[in-house]
Structure formats: structure tokens, C-alpha cells
């Protein structure tokens, strides 16, 4: 019997299940009708999908409706094991950066053509942002994403841009391939990438690549309020700190 698929080749029932999961992830609890409306499916269809998720431990039903179950925590921890070596080598370096800067420090990698937070730490001066471990963001909008893109082949960059596009998030976001390539050339020359309010109107960031041989493992980054990350602190002091941190992580990875 043929699968019920959409134009992209995905199985529609599976896509519906994940749409329900992602909708639940955006809210604490949700009722059946609320979920069905949000995903655009019949209540009966939503009920069947939720029953399957509940039976397998991925969804919990209580007096307030449905919520995600801790089975996702188990799966998430297992998924994170792929980065155990990088995390082990980076952890003391990230802690040192937090102490030295007081800002928000991130360790990011590329997965499924997006920049993903593998670790994130907030210093005494750090401010809350819409990021957490596991959060995915468009690569062209972030210092970490751009520094990773700069160390990929042009063919690989083409794949990522064709897949994800260059959508504007703020007025400062790079949205053309020519502008992006020019920026990435500068990134390769200076060794770091800057995010000048390109992912958030009031946030700046700097990132340095973690590279061994021809392989880009990820990036270490710092982010903070645009009014505080200015002038020499933004353009010189933080880049030097991050280049040193990335080099230390690279050395630890070499002998890990």
C-alpha cells in the first residue's frame, strides 16, 4: 500500500505527528481542540496521533490537557552524546569565558543546515534571549553560523542556502548571496565573525571557529546587548578572547 506523502517526499502522517509535537513544545499545555485547530486537522485525527504519542511516553495527558513527556529528555540526552567529545573539551573553556566576560557564551554546531546550540552559559551580565540548548537558528543571521559557513565548501554552502534561504530577521540581516559571500571572505581573513544586530535588533555577537584540519567542528560565541558590545570591546577584545578559547578547544580535541 503506498504511503500518503506530500510533494517533498515526507510521510504526511509523520509530519502531522511532528506538527503536534512542535505545537506542544511552544506551550505548557494544550487541549485537543486547540491542538487540532493549530495544526489544521480534525479533532479525531489529532486524538489518534496524541493517543499514539501518549502510549509511547512522548505525551502526557492531565487535567490541563496535553503536554510533552520526559521521554523527550531521554531522547535528547542520547542525541547529545554525538557531541560528548566536543562538550568535554569545551566545558572548562566556556566557564572561563563566562567568568572573564560576564556575558552569554554559546557552543554551536551545524546540523540539518542550521546553527544549533550544543551548550549555552549565562554570565553575571548576561541577558535572556530566545536561545537555549537545542535551539536552532538560521546560520546566516548569527556570528556562529557565519563562521561555520565560512569554513564549508562553496557547494556545501549552496546546499544550505538552497535549503534554508536567506530570510531577513532584522533590518541588518544579510539577505543576498553576494553580500553573504563578501562577509564570509572577511570572516576567513580576520578569523572571527560578527553579528551586528542581524538576529535581534538589540543584540550583538562574535564567534570563532573550532577547526581541526579540514573539519569544522563548530563555533564558540559570545552575545550581549548592542549598547554594551561596542567599539574596541566588540571589535578587538572579544574576538581575541574567542580566538584563544577556540584554539584551546582545538588543542584539547587533538589529544582527546
Amino acid at each position: 500500500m503506498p504511503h500518503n506523502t506530500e510533494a517533498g517526499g515526507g510521510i504526511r502522517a509523520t509530519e502531522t505527528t511532528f506538527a503536534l509535537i512542535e505545537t506542544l513544545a511552544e506551550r505548557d499545555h494544550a487541549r485537543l481542540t486547540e491542538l487540532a485547530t493549530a495544526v489544521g486537522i480534525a479533532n479525531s485525527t489529532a486524538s489518534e496521533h496524541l493517543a499514539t504519542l501518549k502510549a509511547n511516553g512522548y505525551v502526557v495527558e492531565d487535567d490541563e490537557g496535553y503536554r510533552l513527556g520526559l521521554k523527550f529528555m531521554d531522547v535528547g540526552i542520547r542525541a547529545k552524546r554525538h557531541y560528548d567529545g566536543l562538550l568535554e573539551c569545551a566545558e572548562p573553556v566556556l566557564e572561563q569565558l563566562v567568568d572573564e566576560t560576564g556575558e552569554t557564551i554559546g557552543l554551536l554546531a551545524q546540523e540539518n543546515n542550521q546553527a544549533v546550540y550544543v551548550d549555552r552559559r549565562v554570565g553575571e551580565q548576561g541577558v535572556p534571549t530566545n536561545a537555549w540548548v537545542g535551539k536552532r537558528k538560521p546560520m546566516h543571521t548569527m556570528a556562529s553560523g557565519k563562521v561555520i559557513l565560512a569554513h564549508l565548501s562553496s557547494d556545501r554552502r549552496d546546499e544550505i542556502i538552497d535549503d534554508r534561504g536567506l530570510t531577513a530577521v532584522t533590518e541588518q540581516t544579510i539577505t543576498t548571496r553576494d553580500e553573504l559571500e563578501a562577509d564570509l571572505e572577511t570572516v576567513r581573513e580576520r578569523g572571527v565573525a560578527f553579528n551586528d544586530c542581524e538576529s535581534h535588533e538589540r543584540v550583538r555577537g562574535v564567534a570563532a571557529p573550532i577547526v581541526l584540519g579540514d573539519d569544522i567542528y563548530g563555533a564558540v560565541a559570545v552575545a550581549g546587548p548592542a549598547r554594551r558590545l561596542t567599539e574596541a570591546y566588540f571589535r578587538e577584545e572579544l574576538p581575541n578572547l574567542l580566538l584563544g578559547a577556540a584554539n584551546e578547544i582545538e588543542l584539547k580535541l587533538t589529544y582527546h
Side-chain angles (χ1 to χ4, degrees):
M1 183 175 180
H3 291 302
N4 187 12
T5 61
E6 293 191 342
I11 300 173
R12 185 170 294 142
T14 304
E15 292 178 350
T16 298
T17 296
F18 279 108
L20 287 165
I21 290 169
E22 290 173 0
T23 301
L24 275 174
E26 294 170 354
R27 46 198 94 186
D28 235 4
H29 282 80
R31 300 287 183 186
L32 173 63
T33 53
E34 179 185 355
L35 288 167
T37 300
V39 176
I41 56 177
N43 288 350
S44 58
T45 303
S47 179
E48 290 174 357
H49 284 272
L50 290 166
T52 301
L53 287 166
K54 179 180 174 182
N56 286 279
Y58 289 98
V59 162
V60 173
E61 184 181 11
D62 55 30
D63 292 341
E64 297 180 65
Y66 293 92
R67 63 174 174 83
L68 295 184
L70 293 178
K71 184 72 171 288
F72 280 106
M73 184 181 292
D74 178 36
V75 173
I77 290 171
R78 292 170 188 266
K80 200 175 178 182
R81 287 177 185 168
H82 177 73
Y83 297 98
D84 277 355
L86 177 61
L87 284 162
E88 183 179 340
C89 294
E91 183 173 8
V93 182
L94 300 180
E95 281 296 324
Q96 185 177 347
L97 279 173
V98 168
D99 291 340
E100 289 182 358
T101 67
E103 304 288 359
T104 300
I105 305 298
L107 178 69
L108 295 98
Q110 182 276 133
E111 188 175 88
N112 287 332
N113 300 337
Q114 293 175 293
V116 186
Y117 283 87
V118 179
D119 199 344
R120 184 175 180 273
R121 292 151 193 256
V122 181
E124 291 182 357
Q125 298 184 94
V127 294
T129 62
N130 63 336
W132 53 85
V133 173
K135 175 71 173 180
R136 299 168 180 270
K137 290 192 174 184
M139 297 183 71
H140 69 290
T141 68
M142 307 175 67
S144 54
K146 289 194 289 184
V147 86
I148 293 172
L149 284 172
H151 288 79
L152 297 175
S153 69
S154 59
D155 288 345
R156 185 71 185 93
R157 287 198 297 275
D158 284 340
E159 291 177 9
I160 292 172
I161 294 169
D162 288 345
D163 180 37
R164 298 292 177 177
L166 297 173
T167 304
V169 178
T170 73
E171 291 184 357
Q172 304 304 317
T173 306
I174 292 174
T175 57
T176 70
R177 182 62 188 268
D178 287 346
E179 187 181 1
L180 179 62
E181 284 296 339
D183 194 15
L184 297 183
E185 181 60 34
T186 305
V187 170
R188 285 186 286 270
E189 291 172 358
R190 66 193 173 198
V192 298
F194 294 98
N195 170 3
D196 195 357
C197 302
E198 296 163 52
S199 58
H200 190 288
E201 293 85 350
R202 294 187 295 276
V203 174
R204 286 193 173 113
V206 188
I210 300 167
V211 181
L212 285 183
D214 295 327
D215 297 325
I216 174 78
Y217 278 63
V220 57
V222 59
R227 290 185 177 180
R228 187 162 67 231
L229 271 62
T230 61
E231 300 176 350
Y233 179 56
F234 180 50
R235 295 291 177 181
E236 298 174 21
E237 185 177 341
L238 288 176
N240 288 335
L241 278 175
L242 289 171
L243 286 169
N247 183 242
E248 185 175 347
I249 296 170
E250 289 166 352
L251 288 172
K252 289 175 181 291
L253 281 169
T254 300
Y255 300 104
H256 184 265

